[in-house]
Amino acid sequence: MTLDGSIDNKAGTLDRALKEIAALPAGGRLRVSSLYGSSRAFFLAATFKALNRPVLAVLPEDGAAAEFADDLRFFLGADAVRLFPSTEVLPFEAQSAHQELTASRVEILHSLSDPAKKFITVVSAQTLMQRVMPKEGLAGAEVTLSKGGTYPHEELVATLAGLGFARMSMVEERGEMSIRGAILDIFPPGFDNPLRLEFFGDEVESIRAFDLSTQRSLGALGEVRILPAGEVALGGHTRLAARERLIERAEELDLPRSAWEALSTGLRDGVGIAGREMLLPLFYGKLDAVFDYLDLSTAVALIDAPSAEASFERFEGEVKNEAERFLTRRHFFVRPEELYLSAKEARAQIDRFAVVEVESFKSGGIELSAGSNLDVKQDMALRKGREFALKPLVDRIKEGVDENRRVYLTVHNKGQADRTKELLEAYGLKPAVLKGADILDRKAAEFALALGSLSTGFNAPAERLVIISEEEIFGERVKRRAPSARKLDAFLLELQDLKEGDYIVHAHHGIGLYRGMKRVGVDGIENDFLLLEYRDADKLYVPVWRM
């Protein structure tokens, strides 16, 4: 039986693929090909639902991984899909990953270590090659706080600081905490909203989630589990061990003291440690790989396998080139093999699991023959601006339903769904509106609007399924990308080349003299500031997190 309930004995049906994947042992490999565009995500979503097992989807690049994760969310909903993010930092560079990224990585690693949780983890080949904090280290780092529990104040604050939480005047992002009298605000990984704990002495009187913008309470909680804010452990004992390893590695590289002294001081004092993720092996001695967090029942899907394999090789080359550059410049860096997997190691790790190669083009294995909607897109483009502009689309929809197919048109939101329904009603069509995640469960032939975004539509004849994306009908939408999380860190790295007395331009205050980075305490809270000097010796302290 196929997903639409019809009988199909063709060799390339989805049901045959699902049956063979279910029987695939650890170490086995199967290729599924001829899957155009987002039909790859449809296939993997169907696989995930049929197997009821965790899945690791590996994409060649970060951008492809993000787009593929969005397509999966269309078919499965947000809860079933996690994108394991890149740190967005070049190998060995002294840049710290954005706090939201590090918190997200910790949250996903923690979820992966729980065999009861089943979801699809999407990751790029490059990100998969970076080693992560040990599984045992993460398991031993979480802190549980309960209403009515007693926690000595100074000890609790020190513990949270050791978990990587930055003390701020006000919590705004994951990985931050704020203390005002008897109130502790904290925004841990795994929570959509920050938490507010009210104390009476050392006893927790209440725990509430609150809205970041309005500060209003969102409900009481009896107990919360606080995960580390990042992969780096900042506890005193751990930092001292890291400092010892730092000195050993510096001696191995025969570096001058000036090349590592600032790092050593930062590890000693617990502040000013730029690029902590690049020093991860110093804190733990031995790291794990993402693979070490996976249950062996996990299925690994290589999306565009040849390109993913090439990405392994390419990134290994980048690591080697960067290591040589750091050696030449006599900069400190950890042993490459301690921080990154080689391409050979990555492939060996993948081979421990049941592997499905998912290919866009016809390349053997089980061929599902899902094609594009290019003809529809071209017909719509030719009719643009003319009377009855939607007639080519309507003709295809009616033809598909008459042939016992399920035909869906994606719409980004409810407002667009209402407008599209009005347009189609003029042609005698009255489609229902459903969620994109409902498509996998529908069996009867129908035409409906599916809420959600999909990178491309596709036509899968063997499954009697046609999905047409909104962009294929109405044209491409303007996509606005959020600023890269690495922009601030890249700017801070450039500051290392500045000397005190150099000119620097502030967007609002104009040209001033750079007077260095200063650590300043305000209301008992220390943070890093950029010091600029203006006429008449006026000084401006610019907080680095606001630049």
Side-chain angles (χ1 to χ4, degrees):
M1 299 286 288
T2 64
L3 283 184
D4 64 7
S6 61
I7 297 174
D8 196 332
N9 295 318
K10 289 180 64 178
T13 64
L14 174 62
D15 294 282
R16 178 198 162 196
L18 297 181
K19 185 177 180 180
E20 292 200 21
I21 293 170
L24 199 63
R29 191 172 283 240
L30 175 71
R31 177 174 296 171
V32 180
S33 65
S34 296
L35 286 164
Y36 169 81
S38 61
S39 69
R40 298 176 304 169
F42 168 78
F43 162 73
L44 198 62
T47 300
F48 173 72
K49 293 197 71 172
L51 294 181
N52 192 29
R53 286 158 48 188
V55 174
L56 178 73
V58 184
L59 280 292
E61 305 291 346
D62 290 339
E67 182 175 87
F68 191 76
D70 286 340
D71 283 347
L72 283 172
R73 292 186 186 106
F74 175 85
F75 292 111
L76 292 171
D79 293 341
V81 183
R82 313 283 177 86
L83 175 64
F84 190 73
S86 163
T87 59
E88 298 187 353
V89 177
L90 293 174
F92 311 118
E93 287 289 357
Q95 298 181 41
S96 291
H98 192 275
Q99 187 61 54
E100 286 285 343
L101 294 178
T102 59
S104 179
R105 287 168 64 91
V106 167
E107 178 189 351
I108 294 172
L109 289 175
H110 184 266
S111 296
L112 285 173
S113 64
D114 184 351
K117 294 182 178 179
K118 296 180 177 65
F119 52 91
I120 300 181
T121 305
V122 183
V123 63
S124 70
Q126 173 178 320
T127 301
L128 193 57
M129 292 179 72
Q130 182 169 344
R131 298 183 189 272
V132 295
M133 69 183 300
K135 188 176 179 180
E136 290 183 1
L138 178 55
E142 62 188 52
V143 173
T144 300
L145 302 176
S146 305
K147 179 182 177 181
T150 301
Y151 310 93
H153 183 268
E154 291 185 6
E155 183 179 323
L156 175 60
V157 171
T159 298
L160 296 175
L163 292 181
F165 287 92
R167 189 171 175 181
M168 315 294 287
S169 57
M170 179 178 290
V171 167
E172 293 186 337
E173 294 182 337
R174 286 178 180 82
E176 296 179 348
M177 65 176 175
S178 171
I179 301 167
R180 302 185 307 282
I183 296 176
L184 165 65
D185 289 348
I186 188 166
F187 202 163
F191 287 86
D192 294 329
N193 297 283
L195 308 174
R196 177 161 294 158
L197 289 78
E198 295 189 34
F199 289 79
F200 181 76
D202 290 336
E203 181 182 336
V204 177
E205 282 195 320
S206 68
I207 305 174
R208 295 178 180 275
F210 68 92
D211 184 271
L212 201 55
S213 56
T214 66
Q215 299 288 301
R216 290 182 178 178
S217 173
L218 298 174
L221 300 167
E223 183 178 272
V224 291
R225 184 166 53 186
I226 308 296
L227 297 176
E231 297 175 65
V232 175
L234 294 174
H237 177 73
T238 308
R239 283 190 285 105
L240 292 179
R243 189 166 178 255
E244 290 178 4
R245 295 187 183 105
L246 170 81
I247 295 172
E248 290 176 3
R249 173 61 173 163
E251 291 175 351
E252 180 182 309
L253 292 170
D254 193 26
L255 295 177
R257 190 178 185 89
S258 59
W260 55 268
E261 188 171 28
L263 285 173
S264 177
T265 303
L267 290 171
R268 183 195 65 198
D269 300 337
V271 296
I273 310 173
R276 293 183 301 211
E277 291 76 21
M278 297 300 105
L279 304 176
L280 205 56
L282 302 181
F283 290 90
Y284 296 104
K286 185 177 184 300
L287 303 181
D288 280 345
V290 171
F291 298 101
D292 295 309
Y293 283 80
L294 303 180
D295 188 90
L296 279 178
S297 67
T298 301
V300 174
L302 295 178
I303 313 300
D304 191 2
S307 294
E309 294 273 5
S311 291
F312 289 145
E313 300 289 348
R314 182 169 57 253
F315 185 66
E316 181 178 2
E318 288 179 15
V319 170
K320 288 181 179 178
N321 290 338
E322 287 300 299
E324 291 173 2
R325 185 172 69 88
F326 272 63
L327 270 176
T328 302
R329 297 188 177 186
R330 308 204 70 190
H331 290 174
F332 180 86
F333 66 103
V334 299
R335 297 181 187 91
E337 66 273 12
E338 293 182 349
L339 188 58
Y340 300 102
L341 297 174
S342 66
K344 182 179 179 181
E345 287 173 321
R347 287 193 294 269
Q349 288 277 9
I350 287 172
D351 286 342
R352 294 167 49 212
F353 301 87
V355 179
V356 183
E357 298 178 358
V358 183
E359 303 293 342
S360 298
F361 302 103
K362 184 176 181 179
S363 55
I366 300 177
E367 296 174 359
L368 296 185
S369 301
S372 74
N373 294 322
L374 182 60
D375 54 345
V376 179
K377 187 175 181 178
Q378 290 175 337
D379 287 347
M380 290 300 300
L382 290 173
R383 298 285 302 188
K384 190 173 182 179
R386 297 167 60 183
E387 190 177 6
F388 304 114
L390 292 181
K391 190 175 185 305
L393 171 65
V394 172
D395 289 344
R396 297 300 177 92
I397 291 170
K398 290 180 177 179
E399 178 184 342
V401 175
D402 289 343
E403 293 176 352
N404 198 32
R405 299 180 188 275
R406 293 175 296 140
V407 183
Y408 302 102
L409 174 61
T410 70
V411 283
H412 291 280
N413 51 54
K414 186 64 166 60
Q416 187 64 16
D418 292 340
R419 288 189 290 272
T420 304
K421 282 184 70 174
E422 288 181 9
L423 291 173
L424 292 174
E425 283 173 356
Y427 295 86
L429 294 176
K430 296 183 178 181
V433 179
L434 48 82
K435 296 178 182 177
D438 295 329
I439 291 176
L440 286 174
D441 299 322
R442 312 288 280 205
K443 295 182 179 180
E446 66 174 344
F447 167 57
L449 303 181
L451 287 171
S453 298
L454 203 57
S455 61
T456 62
F458 62 90
N459 179 8
E463 302 312 315
R464 299 189 180 278
L465 174 66
V466 180
I467 300 180
I468 304 170
S469 74
E470 186 174 325
E471 284 79 4
E472 288 169 329
I473 303 306
F474 300 109
E476 296 291 330
R477 296 178 55 164
V478 177
K479 296 181 180 179
R480 293 181 172 86
R481 287 187 174 271
S484 171
R486 75 165 72 178
K487 281 190 175 180
L488 170 60
D489 291 319
F491 176 59
L492 291 176
L493 191 65
E494 290 176 9
L495 287 180
Q496 296 179 5
D497 296 328
L498 286 175
K499 301 183 297 294
E500 290 194 25
D502 284 350
Y503 291 107
I504 194 168
V505 182
H506 188 285
H508 301 298
H509 300 282
I511 300 173
L513 292 174
Y514 174 63
R515 294 304 187 193
M517 298 289 291
K518 306 294 180 183
R519 191 149 185 92
V520 180
V522 180
D523 295 330
I525 302 172
E526 289 194 348
N527 282 302
D528 292 316
F529 290 80
L530 185 73
L531 176 58
L532 303 182
E533 183 179 324
Y534 288 87
R535 188 172 57 187
D536 300 326
D538 286 344
K539 291 177 179 163
L540 175 68
Y541 289 88
V542 183
V544 296
W545 68 92
R546 291 290 178 268
M547 287 195 296

